[in-house]
mmCIF file of all heavy atoms in Angstrom:
data_model
loop_
_atom_site.group_PDB
_atom_site.id
_atom_site.type_symbol
_atom_site.label_atom_id
_atom_site.label_comp_id
_atom_site.label_asym_id
_atom_site.label_seq_id
_atom_site.Cartn_x
_atom_site.Cartn_y
_atom_site.Cartn_z
ATOM 1 N N VAL A 78 -2.764 -2.487 26.474
ATOM 2 C CA VAL A 78 -1.306 -2.476 26.262
ATOM 3 C C VAL A 78 -1.006 -2.615 24.769
ATOM 4 O O VAL A 78 -0.167 -1.898 24.206
ATOM 5 C CB VAL A 78 -0.656 -3.614 27.077
ATOM 6 C CG1 VAL A 78 0.830 -3.712 26.733
ATOM 7 C CG2 VAL A 78 -0.818 -3.380 28.562
ATOM 8 N N GLU A 79 -1.667 -3.555 24.109
ATOM 9 C CA GLU A 79 -1.469 -3.767 22.686
ATOM 10 C C GLU A 79 -1.852 -2.524 21.897
ATOM 11 O O GLU A 79 -1.160 -2.123 20.955
ATOM 12 C CB GLU A 79 -2.248 -4.978 22.207
ATOM 13 C CG GLU A 79 -1.703 -6.318 22.677
ATOM 14 C CD GLU A 79 -2.024 -6.632 24.112
ATOM 15 O OE1 GLU A 79 -2.793 -5.842 24.731
ATOM 16 O OE2 GLU A 79 -1.494 -7.631 24.644
ATOM 17 N N ALA A 80 -2.971 -1.875 22.274
ATOM 18 C CA ALA A 80 -3.384 -0.678 21.581
ATOM 19 C C ALA A 80 -2.336 0.432 21.732
ATOM 20 O O ALA A 80 -2.068 1.164 20.771
ATOM 21 C CB ALA A 80 -4.739 -0.213 22.134
ATOM 22 N N SER A 81 -1.749 0.546 22.910
ATOM 23 C CA SER A 81 -0.738 1.572 23.113
ATOM 24 C C SER A 81 0.509 1.326 22.262
ATOM 25 O O SER A 81 1.085 2.241 21.669
ATOM 26 C CB SER A 81 -0.337 1.616 24.604
ATOM 27 O OG SER A 81 -1.451 1.879 25.404
ATOM 28 N N VAL A 82 0.915 0.056 22.141
ATOM 29 C CA VAL A 82 2.071 -0.276 21.325
ATOM 30 C C VAL A 82 1.809 -0.020 19.862
ATOM 31 O O VAL A 82 2.666 0.508 19.136
ATOM 32 C CB VAL A 82 2.468 -1.772 21.561
ATOM 33 C CG1 VAL A 82 3.604 -2.183 20.594
ATOM 34 C CG2 VAL A 82 2.954 -1.974 22.990
ATOM 35 N N TYR A 83 0.613 -0.366 19.384
ATOM 36 C CA TYR A 83 0.275 -0.113 17.975
ATOM 37 C C TYR A 83 0.238 1.387 17.662
ATOM 38 O O TYR A 83 0.662 1.819 16.603
ATOM 39 C CB TYR A 83 -1.051 -0.749 17.656
ATOM 40 C CG TYR A 83 -1.068 -2.266 17.734
ATOM 41 C CD1 TYR A 83 -2.198 -2.951 18.179
ATOM 42 C CD2 TYR A 83 0.045 -2.998 17.381
ATOM 43 C CE1 TYR A 83 -2.192 -4.320 18.289
ATOM 44 C CE2 TYR A 83 0.053 -4.386 17.480
ATOM 45 C CZ TYR A 83 -1.069 -5.037 17.934
ATOM 46 O OH TYR A 83 -1.071 -6.409 18.048
ATOM 47 N N THR A 86 3.792 2.592 17.414
ATOM 48 C CA THR A 86 4.385 2.197 16.123
ATOM 49 C C THR A 86 3.868 3.053 15.010
ATOM 50 O O THR A 86 4.643 3.497 14.139
ATOM 51 C CB THR A 86 4.050 0.718 15.837
ATOM 52 O OG1 THR A 86 4.538 -0.095 16.936
ATOM 53 C CG2 THR A 86 4.713 0.259 14.561
ATOM 54 N N GLY A 119 9.373 0.086 17.557
ATOM 55 C CA GLY A 119 7.940 -0.091 17.484
ATOM 56 C C GLY A 119 7.564 -1.292 16.645
ATOM 57 O O GLY A 119 6.634 -2.064 16.996
ATOM 58 N N SER A 120 8.240 -1.509 15.528
ATOM 59 C CA SER A 120 7.961 -2.657 14.673
ATOM 60 C C SER A 120 8.186 -3.949 15.411
ATOM 61 O O SER A 120 7.340 -4.878 15.389
ATOM 62 C CB SER A 120 8.796 -2.584 13.409
ATOM 63 O OG SER A 120 8.550 -1.445 12.681
ATOM 64 N N GLY A 121 9.323 -4.057 16.098
ATOM 65 C CA GLY A 121 9.597 -5.267 16.843
ATOM 66 C C GLY A 121 8.649 -5.463 18.019
ATOM 67 O O GLY A 121 8.194 -6.588 18.271
ATOM 68 N N ALA A 122 8.323 -4.375 18.720
ATOM 69 C CA ALA A 122 7.413 -4.499 19.852
ATOM 70 C C ALA A 122 6.011 -4.881 19.417
ATOM 71 O O ALA A 122 5.319 -5.663 20.095
ATOM 72 C CB ALA A 122 7.378 -3.151 20.621
ATOM 73 N N SER A 123 5.552 -4.371 18.267
ATOM 74 C CA SER A 123 4.212 -4.733 17.785
ATOM 75 C C SER A 123 4.122 -6.212 17.468
ATOM 76 O O SER A 123 3.132 -6.875 17.807
ATOM 77 C CB SER A 123 3.878 -3.908 16.530
ATOM 78 O OG SER A 123 3.819 -2.531 16.849
ATOM 79 N N THR A 124 5.142 -6.721 16.816
ATOM 80 C CA THR A 124 5.154 -8.150 16.511
ATOM 81 C C THR A 124 5.177 -8.972 17.796
ATOM 82 O O THR A 124 4.447 -9.980 17.918
ATOM 83 C CB THR A 124 6.375 -8.500 15.634
ATOM 84 O OG1 THR A 124 6.360 -7.693 14.456
ATOM 85 C CG2 THR A 124 6.378 -9.970 15.246
ATOM 86 N N TRP A 125 5.981 -8.562 18.777
ATOM 87 C CA TRP A 125 6.159 -9.324 19.985
ATOM 88 C C TRP A 125 4.869 -9.338 20.831
ATOM 89 O O TRP A 125 4.464 -10.376 21.332
ATOM 90 C CB TRP A 125 7.315 -8.731 20.769
ATOM 91 C CG TRP A 125 7.651 -9.487 22.042
ATOM 92 C CD1 TRP A 125 7.602 -9.023 23.307
ATOM 93 C CD2 TRP A 125 8.078 -10.863 22.135
ATOM 94 N NE1 TRP A 125 7.983 -10.006 24.205
ATOM 95 C CE2 TRP A 125 8.284 -11.140 23.505
ATOM 96 C CE3 TRP A 125 8.317 -11.855 21.225
ATOM 97 C CZ2 TRP A 125 8.674 -12.393 23.967
ATOM 98 C CZ3 TRP A 125 8.723 -13.115 21.659
ATOM 99 C CH2 TRP A 125 8.933 -13.360 23.024
ATOM 100 N N VAL A 126 4.242 -8.166 20.992
ATOM 101 C CA VAL A 126 3.009 -8.138 21.834
ATOM 102 C C VAL A 126 1.884 -8.888 21.167
ATOM 103 O O VAL A 126 1.022 -9.465 21.846
ATOM 104 C CB VAL A 126 2.604 -6.681 22.160
ATOM 105 C CG1 VAL A 126 3.671 -5.969 22.936
ATOM 106 C CG2 VAL A 126 2.219 -5.919 20.884
ATOM 107 N N THR A 127 1.858 -8.893 19.815
ATOM 108 C CA THR A 127 0.807 -9.682 19.121
ATOM 109 C C THR A 127 0.995 -11.157 19.386
ATOM 110 O O THR A 127 0.004 -11.860 19.657
ATOM 111 C CB THR A 127 0.848 -9.386 17.624
ATOM 112 O OG1 THR A 127 0.702 -7.981 17.394
ATOM 113 C CG2 THR A 127 -0.275 -10.114 16.898
ATOM 114 N N ILE A 128 2.244 -11.628 19.303
ATOM 115 C CA ILE A 128 2.487 -13.050 19.568
ATOM 116 C C ILE A 128 2.173 -13.389 20.997
ATOM 117 O O ILE A 128 1.552 -14.435 21.283
ATOM 118 C CB ILE A 128 3.973 -13.376 19.236
ATOM 119 C CG1 ILE A 128 4.224 -13.194 17.735
ATOM 120 C CG2 ILE A 128 4.343 -14.788 19.673
ATOM 121 C CD1 ILE A 128 5.691 -13.362 17.356
ATOM 122 N N LEU A 129 2.576 -12.555 21.955
ATOM 123 C CA LEU A 129 2.277 -12.826 23.367
ATOM 124 C C LEU A 129 0.794 -12.816 23.633
ATOM 125 O O LEU A 129 0.258 -13.624 24.380
ATOM 126 C CB LEU A 129 2.962 -11.784 24.247
ATOM 127 C CG LEU A 129 4.495 -11.892 24.385
ATOM 128 C CD1 LEU A 129 5.014 -10.811 25.279
ATOM 129 C CD2 LEU A 129 4.909 -13.270 24.891
ATOM 130 N N CYS A 130 0.086 -11.887 22.983
ATOM 131 C CA CYS A 130 -1.380 -11.808 23.186
ATOM 132 C C CYS A 130 -2.067 -13.031 22.616
ATOM 133 O O CYS A 130 -3.024 -13.547 23.187
ATOM 134 C CB CYS A 130 -1.897 -10.537 22.545
ATOM 135 S SG CYS A 130 -3.667 -10.233 22.857
ATOM 136 N N MET A 131 -1.579 -13.517 21.459
ATOM 137 C CA MET A 131 -2.156 -14.708 20.895
ATOM 138 C C MET A 131 -1.847 -15.948 21.743
ATOM 139 O O MET A 131 -2.679 -16.875 21.828
ATOM 140 C CB MET A 131 -1.593 -14.955 19.492
ATOM 141 C CG MET A 131 -2.043 -13.978 18.436
ATOM 142 S SD MET A 131 -1.191 -14.303 16.882
ATOM 143 C CE MET A 131 -1.767 -15.984 16.551
ATOM 144 N N ALA A 132 -0.690 -15.931 22.389
ATOM 145 C CA ALA A 132 -0.254 -17.134 23.106
ATOM 146 C C ALA A 132 -1.068 -17.348 24.373
ATOM 147 O O ALA A 132 -1.692 -18.428 24.530
ATOM 148 C CB ALA A 132 1.222 -17.015 23.489
ATOM 149 N N LEU A 204 -5.392 -10.880 16.575
ATOM 150 C CA LEU A 204 -5.695 -10.620 17.986
ATOM 151 C C LEU A 204 -6.787 -11.538 18.470
ATOM 152 O O LEU A 204 -7.798 -11.722 17.776
ATOM 153 C CB LEU A 204 -6.087 -9.150 18.174
ATOM 154 C CG LEU A 204 -4.964 -8.134 18.093
ATOM 155 C CD1 LEU A 204 -5.548 -6.715 18.116
ATOM 156 C CD2 LEU A 204 -3.974 -8.318 19.232
ATOM 157 N N PRO A 205 -6.643 -12.123 19.625
ATOM 158 C CA PRO A 205 -7.662 -13.076 20.118
ATOM 159 C C PRO A 205 -8.930 -12.337 20.538
ATOM 160 O O PRO A 205 -8.941 -11.142 20.758
ATOM 161 C CB PRO A 205 -6.963 -13.711 21.343
ATOM 162 C CG PRO A 205 -5.996 -12.665 21.810
ATOM 163 C CD PRO A 205 -5.531 -11.975 20.565
#
Side-chain angles (χ1 to χ4, degrees):
V78 174
E79 288 76 7
S81 302
V82 173
Y83 296 144
T86 304
S120 299
S123 296
T124 304
W125 184 242
V126 298
T127 304
I128 295 174
L129 288 181
C130 186
M131 290 176 60
L204 285 173

